[in-house]
Amino acid sequence: MDINEIARSIHQDIIKWRRDLHRIPEIGFELDQTSLYLRGCLDQLGIPYYTAAQTGIVALVEGSTPGPTLALRADMDGLPIKEETGLPFASDNGNMHACGHDAHMAILLGTAKIISGMRDQIKGRVKLLFQPGEEGHGGAEKMIADGCLENPPVDRVYGLHVGQIFPEVGTGQVGVCDGPILAAATAFKVTVKGKSTHGALPHLGVDAITTAAETILALQKIVSREVDPLDSAVLTVGMIEGGEALNIVTPRVTFGGDFRTLLEKDRQYITARLEEICCSIAKANRADAEVEILGGYPPTINEPRSAKQVAGAATAVVGTGNVIEIRKPNMGTEDMSLYLQKKAGAFFVLGTGNPEKGITYPHHNSRFDVDEATLWIGPAVFARLVIGCPAGTGQG
Ligand SMILES: [Zn+2]
Ligand SMILES: [Zn+2]
C-alpha cells in the first residue's frame, strides 16, 4: 500500500486519539493524563520511549539500515479556556485544546503507526518529540535541555500546526515557505518611579504618568524610525497601571507589552533600545525606570532545503495545487523556533478550518475546532518526509 492509502486506512484511529486527547486538556508541564495516554498508545505500537521535560516524551523508531536521524515534533498542552464548541467530546475540566495540539499529538501518533510498520524502508531513525508547555511555558527549551536533539544527534527537525493561521491555506491544503514563517515575541515590563506631590504643586514631585506617557509614545518610534521598513516589527503596550487620586501627582506607573520581529537581529536591537529609551526619558524627567525583559520565543525560520522537502512530501499527498507557498509570514510565535535555531528543519501548516462546516473560529477561541476529515494528511506528509524523501537528503 502506498503511504496515502495507509494514512487513510488509519484515519479512524487518528480521529479517536484526537477526541480522547481533546477531552483531557491540561496546562503547561502538568500534563500527567495526556502523557499517560500517549505512553499507552506508544506501548501498544511497541515503540520505545523515555520521558523528558517532566511530562514530555521522546520516542524512537529505528530503521533497518543506517542513516540520518529525523525528529518530528508535536506539542501537547491546552489552554485555560472554557470550551464552548458543544462537541460531544468537548472538555469539561475548565481547560481546552483551543490551539489544536490535540490534533498535533494524534497526527504524530498516526505517523508513529505508519512508520513503525515500514521500518524496513527507513534509513536511519526517527525521533518523535511530544513536547509539553508550548503556550508560553518554554517547553521546547526544556526538551532541548533534556537532550532530545542529541544521542543520537538529530539531523533535521519538522513540525506542523493545524488551523487557519494563514488564510491562503485552505481546507486540507499544506502551507510552507523558506525563511521566516512566524515571528519572535519578547514580553517586557517597565516601572517608572517618580515622587508624589499635590496636583497644585507639581514642582515638588516627579510625575510618573507624564514620564510614562512620553516613554510609551517614544517606544513606537523604534519601529517607525529605527527598524528597516522592509523588515517586519511591531511593538504593543498592552497594559498600564498607576495613580490613585485625581489631584495627586503619581509616584509610580507600570506598563508592559510585547514586541515581535521576523529577524533575530531586530529582536536584539529592540531589546537594547527599549532599555535605553525608557531610562533616558526617565532621566530627562528626573524619574527612574526599571525595565524587565520577560523572555519570549525567537523567530521560526525554515531552512530552505527542508522547506523544499516538506513541499515535495506534501505534493505527493495532496497534489501540487494544494501545496501553498506562504508569502507573508505571521507575527504569531512558536517555540518550534528553538529546535530550528539548533538544527535544520521546517515548520509547516495544515489547513484544518472549513467554512462549509462552520469551522472558522481562530486559535485560542472557545469555539476553535478542526475539520477531522483533513487529519490523515498530517501523518501522510510526515511519513513521506521519513520514507518518501531519500534518507541521504537528511544529511548536511
Ligand atoms: Zn496556541
Ligand atoms: Zn499552537
Short mmCIF file of all heavy atoms in Angstrom, two decimals, residues 75 99 101 104 134-135 161 334, ligand 2:
data_model
loop_
_atom_site.label_atom_id
_atom_site.label_comp_id
_atom_site.label_asym_id
_atom_site.label_seq_id
_atom_site.Cartn_x
_atom_site.Cartn_y
_atom_site.Cartn_z
N ASP A 75 3.33 19.41 19.88
CA ASP A 75 3.16 20.00 21.21
C ASP A 75 1.90 19.42 21.86
O ASP A 75 1.00 18.92 21.19
CB ASP A 75 3.17 21.52 21.16
CG ASP A 75 2.44 22.10 19.96
OD1 ASP A 75 1.72 21.34 19.29
OD2 ASP A 75 2.58 23.30 19.70
N CYS A 99 -5.90 25.28 20.65
CA CYS A 99 -4.86 25.62 19.67
C CYS A 99 -4.61 24.43 18.75
O CYS A 99 -3.72 24.46 17.90
CB CYS A 99 -3.58 26.05 20.38
SG CYS A 99 -2.48 27.03 19.34
N HIS A 101 -3.52 21.38 19.62
CA HIS A 101 -2.41 20.49 19.97
C HIS A 101 -2.88 19.05 20.15
O HIS A 101 -2.09 18.12 20.04
CB HIS A 101 -1.67 21.02 21.21
CG HIS A 101 -1.09 22.39 21.03
ND1 HIS A 101 -0.39 23.05 22.00
CD2 HIS A 101 -1.09 23.24 19.97
CE1 HIS A 101 0.01 24.25 21.55
NE2 HIS A 101 -0.43 24.38 20.33
N HIS A 104 -2.32 17.73 16.86
CA HIS A 104 -0.87 17.52 16.62
C HIS A 104 -0.42 16.17 17.21
O HIS A 104 0.33 15.43 16.58
CB HIS A 104 -0.04 18.64 17.25
CG HIS A 104 -0.33 19.99 16.68
ND1 HIS A 104 0.15 21.16 17.22
CD2 HIS A 104 -1.07 20.38 15.61
CE1 HIS A 104 -0.28 22.19 16.51
NE2 HIS A 104 -1.03 21.74 15.53
N GLU A 134 4.08 24.42 25.29
CA GLU A 134 4.36 25.32 24.16
C GLU A 134 3.76 26.70 24.37
O GLU A 134 4.30 27.70 23.92
CB GLU A 134 3.81 24.73 22.85
CG GLU A 134 4.31 25.44 21.59
CD GLU A 134 3.64 26.78 21.29
OE1 GLU A 134 2.44 26.93 21.59
OE2 GLU A 134 4.31 27.70 20.79
N GLU A 135 2.61 26.76 25.06
CA GLU A 135 1.86 28.02 25.16
C GLU A 135 2.51 28.98 26.16
O GLU A 135 1.93 29.32 27.20
CB GLU A 135 0.40 27.74 25.56
CG GLU A 135 -0.37 26.89 24.57
CD GLU A 135 -0.78 27.64 23.29
OE1 GLU A 135 -0.41 28.81 23.16
OE2 GLU A 135 -1.45 27.03 22.46
N HIS A 161 1.58 22.86 12.29
CA HIS A 161 0.47 23.42 13.06
C HIS A 161 -0.80 23.32 12.24
O HIS A 161 -0.79 23.62 11.05
CB HIS A 161 0.73 24.87 13.47
CG HIS A 161 0.09 25.21 14.78
ND1 HIS A 161 -1.28 25.16 14.96
CD2 HIS A 161 0.61 25.55 15.98
CE1 HIS A 161 -1.56 25.48 16.22
NE2 HIS A 161 -0.43 25.71 16.87
N GLU A 334 5.97 30.60 18.00
CA GLU A 334 6.02 29.16 18.22
C GLU A 334 7.36 28.82 18.84
O GLU A 334 8.38 29.36 18.40
CB GLU A 334 6.01 28.47 16.85
CG GLU A 334 4.81 27.65 16.52
CD GLU A 334 4.60 26.44 17.39
OE1 GLU A 334 5.57 25.91 17.95
OE2 GLU A 334 3.45 25.99 17.50
ZN ZN B 2 -0.34 26.04 18.95
#
